[in-house]
Amino acid sequence: MTTSATTVPKTFALGGDLIVNRLGYGAMHLTGPGMWGPPTDPDKAKYLLRRAVRELGVNFIDTADSYGPGYNEEIIREALHPYPDNLVIATKGGMLRSGPEDWVRAEGRDPYIVALGRPEYLRQQVELSLYRLGRECIDLYQLHRIDPLVPLEDQLGVLGELQQQGKIRHIGLSGQPEVTIEQLEAARAIVDIVAVENLYNIADRSGEAVLKHAEKENIAFVPWFPLGHGDLVGPTGILTKAAEGLGCTGAQLGLAWLLRHSPNTLLIPGTTSIVHLEDNVKATNLHLSDQQWGEIEALCAKATPWRPTSPVPAQEGPRS
């Protein structure tokens, strides 16, 4: 259901036991260009994380072992360890990297989105994430992409084993670009899934069915590209235009809509700017009338923000 402007909940019980503020932070861009290598200004990156967590109330951070690779988890530890008791860190594993051009948006080329879900690899990556983050247990560990060449029960089975060992608290799924309802339910038959991370925003709502299914099952829905990879909030972006005269930014508009649209959304907007970070957090206090939201939705329905597509993998047999 769509919540009204006066009843939008500001927190969510992730997995039923981790209370997080729904406006979180996606740390991916606190790396070098192309999400490769360390951040160009480590001190600024650490200051931004401290500002978010210690002063602005952010207590949900999303990262992955492939961001850097590794450096993103390390900068989080350097900035915030020892961690506040209420800080929830979600990380991901199961995605390969080959260099800084992998995910760069470019005409005429597909991004390098290649999964590796072999159990021994995932076990290694969990251990490396624990080491880099300086934690004994990962709050939320998400399979970064389902590997079509490895049985799903093997991929999630090893994560379930690590959960039983106390190294993972909760398990989630991430989609490139999305996890389907069928995949989500197949995964839930193997382990308890508390979160699904899919591409979704006010102008690209192709994942609406998954969002509503997650809401029905009380599973957190974490939208990536919540602002359309920036397409919706640039100087000529449709949300930028919609925000004119409303006393807010286009980014605040897009984030507030996501918070309002479903109580199960956990937002992870990413930025390297302190100003943008502070503006994003203010989206939780944005209130518009139902008529205004309806007009904004109709306007955004005309936009087509960019979405990455990955090549269909070769139809090989499962890896042994």
Side-chain angles (χ1 to χ4, degrees), residues 258-276:
L258 287 166
L259 291 172
R260 178 182 185 274
H261 188 59
S262 169
N264 287 55
T265 53
L266 294 185
L267 307 193
I268 52 169
T271 182
T272 60
S273 163
I274 298 293
V275 172
H276 289 167

Side-chain angles (χ1 to χ4, degrees), residues 241-301:
K241 294 180 180 179
E244 293 176 359
L246 294 177
C248 65
T249 67
Q252 289 170 343
L253 208 57
L255 297 173
W257 181 86
L258 287 166
L259 291 172
R260 178 182 185 274
H261 188 59
S262 169
N264 287 55
T265 53
L266 294 185
L267 307 193
I268 52 169
T271 182
T272 60
S273 163
I274 298 293
V275 172
H276 289 167
L277 170 70
E278 294 170 346
D279 283 345
N280 289 346
V281 171
K282 294 175 183 176
T284 59
N285 298 317
L286 179 62
H287 303 302
L288 301 178
S289 69
D290 290 344
Q291 179 179 344
Q292 287 173 312
W293 283 122
E295 292 170 354
I296 293 165
E297 288 178 352
L299 187 65
C300 289

Side-chain angles (χ1 to χ4, degrees), residues 9-24 57-61 84-89 139 169-170 218 220 266:
K10 293 190 176 183
T11 63
F12 181 82
L14 180 63
D17 62 347
L18 296 176
I19 306 300
V20 295
N21 294 325
R22 294 176 60 212
L23 202 302
V58 171
N59 68 344
F60 180 71
I61 294 178
D85 291 340
N86 69 337
L87 180 63
V88 173
I89 300 177
D139 297 316
R169 187 162 184 169
H170 293 299
N218 201 31
L266 294 185

